[in-house]
């Protein structure tokens, strides 16, 4: 029988099997703490600095303990990495016969029913030759693929419109009524997940499917002994999303599209139905047009001042009510029409609840505007109580791990937000020598961040540092507007010819590939590049952060939570806003040193780091780098090898 110490020793099973493996005391201690948590069905919140090797630290005890394990990650990329590389590696090293399953959201799997519908209905659904060609490739792939996962068909771009036509959503899945139910890829993936020892999911799927139990996965969680959340700092945001309610004009347009197809194929003799569908579709589009802005969030109070919105919402409810009545009359003619009727009824219910504030106590109502759609949201002010209820259903181990969960090793903020009142906490510092490998630079003389020329002055302060580092930098901004401005100013800077890459010029993986290849580029990004990005070696030697990443206080959900905390006589800034900013900053700063051989400068431009009383709390939460405000010292650091 293995013991944890021997597995992680310099001549142990991992060392013999993994090239470059080296013993780290932090990794061993973390693995021991997780083994004890699993054995005693406890809750552990574990922060492990960059380079600790937390993946191996939780996989080894989880696989050795036996029983069913669910591992939830922050992204599909991490999910694939765990499933394809990390777990098979540990399984082979330990020589234990565990079975693994990968489970993604239903939008990742081809749906036979909707594929068939699209093939029958080309003239309605497709506007160009590319889409028809993609459809034929998808048909061939669906006939030959074992799992129907769209990531296996790289010839069709991930963002191609055709995918919406050939995959199902929670709304339009026919479930056991589907004529293709027996060969359904989603059901097959679930069957494998139920049978496997280890199931790899992502946070969105965990909360949407397992917690809310709305997609027939209620068997998965009760059967498991251990739940591990990697990148657990993302959970509060994800949980808020799924513990609330939302309905978008995009869902209504999808309903209209599906209802049109079903009306033609199953109720062609009912001439009134297409007109009713068209009237609802127009009402949904009209609702979106009542707000001129794009990509913004508005509070209920702000949207109530828009009379056009209120009128359009009333009109939409009227048209949905008419559609529901007509679909009810036709529902028995096909499974698809039955589904459209149920969806219409559900959408109607959600919109009425949102408008009339039915049972919405403890929620904040707000709207989000996208380029093409408008979404009505009701988000819980606190997720702690809801999450606690989910955790106490039966005894099992819960492990939450990330490089960024605490503020100066204090987990109070995270534990309170997630409702982890009985959790044990542990913190392991990075094994990297930050005092030698990294330098924290805060420039002198910059104005407060709200100053109208702030971004321009940040770029002026950054230029000599970018020249000293010979490019090789991430320039991380807290807003898309600042990102765009930084890009414009660097493009026109004198005697400055480093390649510039701007977030949005390609996919994130493409941008990172280009950045590594160029070896002297400056990548200017916003939220997408603050976390989950790993560039080792000299290609990334400088990370510039334009300002401390406080969430905008006019965000409707944040504003409501701040008001609630302050009304309870507490200090929302110190208890909620500051800890969240610290955790985000630690993520951005964590891009810099990814390896024992990395060297680099972290430049944080925000003067509040030194002028505000809370600034000390922020920089003390960062890895123990040497600190300076002297540009000459930064230049010397880059010249020294």
């Amino acid at each position: 029988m293995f013991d944890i110490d021997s597995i992680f020793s310099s001549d142990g099973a991992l060392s013999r099997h993994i090239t470059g493996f080296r013993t780290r005391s932090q990794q061993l201690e973390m693995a021991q703490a997780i083994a004890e948590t699993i054995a005693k069905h406890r809750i552990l919140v574990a922060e492990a600095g960059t380079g600790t090797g937390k993946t191996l630290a939780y996989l080894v005890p989880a696989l050795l303990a036996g029983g069913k394990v669910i591992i939830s990650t922050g992204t599909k990329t991490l999910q694939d990495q765990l499933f394809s590389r990390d777990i098979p590696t540990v399984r082979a090293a330990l020589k234990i016969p565990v079975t693994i399953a990968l489970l993604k959201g239903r939008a990742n799997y081809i749906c036979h029913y909707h594929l068939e519908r699209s093939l029958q209905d080309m003239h309605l659904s497709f506007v160009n030759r590319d889409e028809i060609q993609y459809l034929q490739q998808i048909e061939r792939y669906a006939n030959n693929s074992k799992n129907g996962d769209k990531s296996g068909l790289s010839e069709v771009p991930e963002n191609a419109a055709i995918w919406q036509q050939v995959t199902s959503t929670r709304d339009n899945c026919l479930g056991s009524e589907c004529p293709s139910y027996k060969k359904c890829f989603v059901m097959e993936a679930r069957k494998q997940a139920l049978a496997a020892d280890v199931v790899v999911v992502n946070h969105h799927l965990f909360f949407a499917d397992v917690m809310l139990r709305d997609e027939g996965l209620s068997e998965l969680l009760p059967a498991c002994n251990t739940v591990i959340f990697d990148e657990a700092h993302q959970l509060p945001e994800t949980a808020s999303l799924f513990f609330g309610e939302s309905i978008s004009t995009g869902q209504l347009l999808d309903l209209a599209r599906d209802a049109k197809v079903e009306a033609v194929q199953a109720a062609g003799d009912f001439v009134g139905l297409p007109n009713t569908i068209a009237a609802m579709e127009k009402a949904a589009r009209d609702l979106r047009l009542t707000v001129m802005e794009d990509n913004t969030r508005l509070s209920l109070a702000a949207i109530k001042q828009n009379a056009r919105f209120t009128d359009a919402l009333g009109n939409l409810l009227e048209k949905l009510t008419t559609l529901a009545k007509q679909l009810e009359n036709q529902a028995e003619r096909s499974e698809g029409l039955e589904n459209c009727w149920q969806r219409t009824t559900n959408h109607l219910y959600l919109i009425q609840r949102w408008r009339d504030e039915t049972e919405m106590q403890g929620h904040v109502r707000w709207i989000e505007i996208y380029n093409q759609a408008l979404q009505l949201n009701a988000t819980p002010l606190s997720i702690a109580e809801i999450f606690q209820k989910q955790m106490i259903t039966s005894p099992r181990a819960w492990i939450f791990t990330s490089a960024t969960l605490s503020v100066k090793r204090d987990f109070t903020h995270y534990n309170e937000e997630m409702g982890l009142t009985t959790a044990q906490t542990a913190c392991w510092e990075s094994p990297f020598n930050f005092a030698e490998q990294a330098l924290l630079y805060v420039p002198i003389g910059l104005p407060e961040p709200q100053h109208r020329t702030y971004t321009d002055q940040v770029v002026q302060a950054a230029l000599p540092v970018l020249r000293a580092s010979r490019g090789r930098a991430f320039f991380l901004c807290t807003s898309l507007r600042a990102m765009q401005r930084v890009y414009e100013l660097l493009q026109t800077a004198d005697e400055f010819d480093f390649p510039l890459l701007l977030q949005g010029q390609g996919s994130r993986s493409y941008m990172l590939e280009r950045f590594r290849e160029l070896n002297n580029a400056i990548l200017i990004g916003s939220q997408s590049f603050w976390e989950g990005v790993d560039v080792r070696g000299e290609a990334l030697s400088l990370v510039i952060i334009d300002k401390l990443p406080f969430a905008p206080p006019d965000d409707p959900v944040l504003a409501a939570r701040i008001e609630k905390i302050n009304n309870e006589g507490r200090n929302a800034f110190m208890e909620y806003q500051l800890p969240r900013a610290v955790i985000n900053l630690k993520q951005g700063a964590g891009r810099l040193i990814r390896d024992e051989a990395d060297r680099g400068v972290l430049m944080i431009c925000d003067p509040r780091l030194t002028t505000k009383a809370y600034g000390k709390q922020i920089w003390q939460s960062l890895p123990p780098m040497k600190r300076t405000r002297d540009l000459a010292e930064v230049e010397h650091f880059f010249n020294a090898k």
Side-chain angles (χ1 to χ4, degrees):
M1 179 60 192
F2 285 119
D3 70 274
I4 297 283
D5 291 39
S6 68
I7 291 167
F8 284 91
S9 67
S10 54
D11 59 349
L14 295 177
S15 179
R16 289 195 298 272
H17 201 83
I18 300 171
T19 310
F21 176 84
R22 47 178 38 160
T23 302
R24 298 187 181 109
S25 60
Q26 296 94 330
Q27 188 180 48
L28 174 59
E29 285 172 24
M30 185 176 174
Q32 288 166 332
I34 288 171
E36 189 179 339
T37 302
I38 293 171
K40 295 182 177 173
H41 295 311
R42 286 183 180 159
I43 302 168
L44 176 68
V45 179
E47 181 174 275
T50 312
T52 304
K54 62 181 165 56
T55 307
L56 290 180
Y58 66 68
L59 282 180
V60 169
L63 298 194
L64 284 179
K68 194 173 191 79
V69 181
I70 296 176
I71 301 173
S72 182
T73 72
T75 62
K76 281 187 283 193
T77 309
L78 270 172
Q79 220 185 328
D80 288 334
Q81 182 182 309
L82 270 167
F83 177 73
S84 308
R85 191 185 76 189
D86 298 338
I87 300 174
T89 299
V90 173
R91 179 174 62 181
L94 300 181
K95 297 184 172 64
I96 47 178
V98 296
T99 53
I100 324 165
L102 179 69
L103 190 58
K104 297 180 180 177
R106 63 168 67 253
N108 293 279
Y109 302 97
I110 294 165
C111 167
H112 291 291
Y113 177 80
H114 288 100
L115 173 60
E116 196 58 41
R117 276 283 192 268
S118 297
L119 288 164
Q120 290 170 14
D121 188 48
M122 277 194 196
H123 67 285
L124 255 185
S125 308
F126 308 109
V127 288
N128 61 42
R129 202 175 296 164
D130 281 350
E131 296 292 313
I132 293 171
Q133 194 178 340
Y134 292 154
L135 182 66
Q136 289 162 348
Q137 288 175 306
I138 290 168
E139 183 188 17
R140 281 196 296 275
Y141 176 70
N143 289 334
N144 298 312
S145 170
K146 282 183 181 170
N147 58 24
D149 186 337
K150 72 180 196 182
S151 67
L153 184 60
S154 54
E155 296 91 326
V156 179
E158 200 178 332
N159 59 356
I162 179 66
W163 285 120
Q164 283 184 307
Q165 317 274 352
V166 297
T167 54
S168 69
T169 63
R170 194 161 71 242
D171 287 339
N172 67 18
C173 172
L174 302 182
S176 56
E177 300 298 309
C178 180
S180 303
Y181 184 72
K182 284 187 177 165
K183 58 177 183 177
C184 173
F185 288 125
V186 173
M187 292 314 298
E188 184 54 37
R190 288 180 179 168
K191 214 181 291 174
Q192 289 182 14
L194 288 169
D197 301 311
V198 180
V199 185
V200 185
V201 299
N202 61 54
H203 299 336
H204 278 75
L205 183 67
F206 187 91
F207 284 102
D209 281 6
V210 183
M211 293 307 229
L212 300 186
R213 302 187 178 184
D214 61 356
E215 293 205 11
L217 267 184
S218 50
E219 316 95 280
L220 190 58
L221 189 61
C224 93
N225 304 67
T226 305
V227 179
I228 299 170
F229 292 108
D230 199 346
E231 301 297 332
H233 64 279
Q234 296 175 4
L235 290 182
E237 203 69 35
T238 311
S240 290
L241 190 69
F242 286 105
F243 289 155
E245 288 179 3
S246 66
I247 174 75
S248 76
T249 56
Q251 286 171 276
L252 295 169
L253 297 182
D254 287 347
L255 168 62
R257 181 196 69 206
D258 294 343
K260 276 182 207 168
V261 174
E262 295 295 341
V264 168
Q265 295 180 356
D269 55 347
F270 184 22
V271 290
L273 188 54
N275 290 337
T276 307
I277 296 167
M280 186 280 286
E281 184 177 18
K282 182 179 185 303
R285 293 188 191 280
D286 287 346
L287 182 67
R288 168 62 188 91
L289 295 173
T290 61
V291 183
M292 300 307 292
E293 299 96 328
D294 267 356
N295 301 314
T296 189
R297 295 173 158 204
L298 296 174
S299 67
L300 185 65
I303 198 64
K304 272 186 170 173
Q305 293 172 3
N306 182 337
R308 287 179 62 222
F309 172 85
T310 308
D311 292 346
L313 190 64
N315 181 49
L316 176 59
L317 282 167
E318 201 180 292
K319 298 295 187 280
L320 268 173
T321 304
T322 307
L323 180 60
K325 283 175 185 164
Q326 290 194 3
L327 284 170
E328 185 177 10
N329 290 334
Q330 303 296 312
E332 61 189 26
R333 299 179 73 169
S334 78
E335 297 93 342
L337 280 171
E338 166 89 22
N339 171 264
C340 289
W341 169 50
Q342 289 174 351
R343 284 160 67 188
T344 306
T345 308
N346 185 51
H347 294 346
L348 190 57
Y349 167 73
L350 287 176
I351 296 170
Q352 282 171 333
R353 264 171 72 88
W354 189 91
R355 187 190 67 173
D356 303 336
E357 204 178 350
T358 313
E359 299 163 32
M360 286 281 130
Q361 276 189 329
H363 286 68
V364 53
R365 290 178 293 151
W366 55 287
I367 68 166
E368 187 153 17
I369 318 295
Y370 303 99
N371 191 15
Q372 302 286 332
L374 178 151
Q375 183 164 296
L376 309 177
N377 301 291
T379 304
L381 286 170
S382 168
I383 58 165
E385 301 79 15
I386 311 171
F387 192 61
Q388 273 176 337
K389 276 183 201 159
Q390 305 290 349
M391 291 180 69
I392 58 176
T393 47
S394 58
R396 67 175 60 85
W398 295 82
I399 292 141
F400 301 79
T401 184
S402 166
T404 57
L405 293 171
S406 75
V407 178
K408 282 174 62 184
R409 304 174 74 95
D410 181 353
F411 294 86
T412 306
H413 165 74
Y414 186 80
N415 288 355
E416 284 184 355
E417 194 170 12
M418 292 296 294
L420 306 177
T421 48
T422 60
Q424 296 181 301
T425 60
C427 191
W428 289 278
E429 298 287 355
S430 167
F432 300 154
N433 184 353
F434 278 93
E436 294 291 325
Q437 290 178 252
L439 183 67
L440 170 60
Y441 171 53
V442 181
I444 294 170
L446 284 175
E448 290 291 301
Q450 64 270 28
H451 194 280
R452 61 184 180 79
T453 64
Y454 180 75
T455 302
D456 295 41
Q457 293 195 50
V458 161
V459 171
Q460 285 308 309
L463 281 169
V465 184
L466 287 163
R467 290 188 181 108
S469 70
R470 303 189 305 283
R472 306 183 300 159
F474 275 9
F475 207 130
L476 301 178
C477 302
T478 50
S479 71
L480 293 171
R481 186 184 298 158
M483 178 186 88
Q484 199 61 47
R485 182 66 181 149
V486 167
Y487 180 63
E488 289 163 10
L489 290 167
L490 290 180
Q491 273 186 313
T492 55
D494 293 335
E495 297 174 37
F496 194 81
D497 56 359
F498 299 108
L500 299 179
L501 301 171
L502 179 68
Q503 177 183 313
Q505 289 175 337
S507 70
R508 188 166 84 154
S509 52
Y510 168 77
M511 301 286 285
L512 286 171
E513 207 177 302
R514 288 285 297 137
F515 182 82
R516 290 187 186 101
E517 281 170 7
L518 288 164
N519 217 36
N520 67 339
I522 299 162
L523 193 156
I524 305 150
S526 185
Q527 202 54 49
S528 295
F529 289 92
W530 279 70
E531 59 177 277
V533 174
D534 194 356
V535 179
R536 296 169 190 233
E538 289 195 345
L540 179 58
S541 299
L542 169 65
V543 170
I544 301 173
I545 292 175
D546 72 335
K547 64 171 85 163
L548 297 175
F550 286 104
D554 58 351
D555 177 273
V557 179
L558 179 64
R561 285 178 174 163
I562 289 170
E563 186 182 4
K564 177 179 182 281
I565 294 168
N566 288 338
N567 286 344
E568 290 167 359
R570 294 151 58 205
N571 183 330
F573 180 79
M574 295 306 291
E575 287 184 35
Y576 190 72
Q577 291 166 274
L578 181 62
R580 290 187 83 181
V582 169
I583 287 169
N584 283 339
L585 183 68
K586 284 166 73 174
Q587 277 294 330
R591 299 314 99 217
L592 182 64
I593 303 296
R594 307 298 299 174
D595 201 281
E596 282 154 343
D598 281 359
R599 287 180 85 253
V601 170
L602 172 64
M603 177 177 178
I604 302 177
C605 302
D606 197 322
R608 291 175 293 183
L609 206 58
T610 56
T611 60
K612 300 292 184 189
Y614 58 76
K616 188 175 183 183
Q617 204 171 336
I618 295 175
W619 60 254
Q620 284 182 341
S621 295
L622 294 171
M625 310 175 186
K626 189 180 177 192
R627 300 184 303 277
T628 187
R629 306 204 68 188
D630 184 354
L631 177 61
E633 199 169 342
V634 174
E635 291 168 337
H636 176 72
F637 180 91
F638 281 121
N639 289 330
K641 281 289 177 187

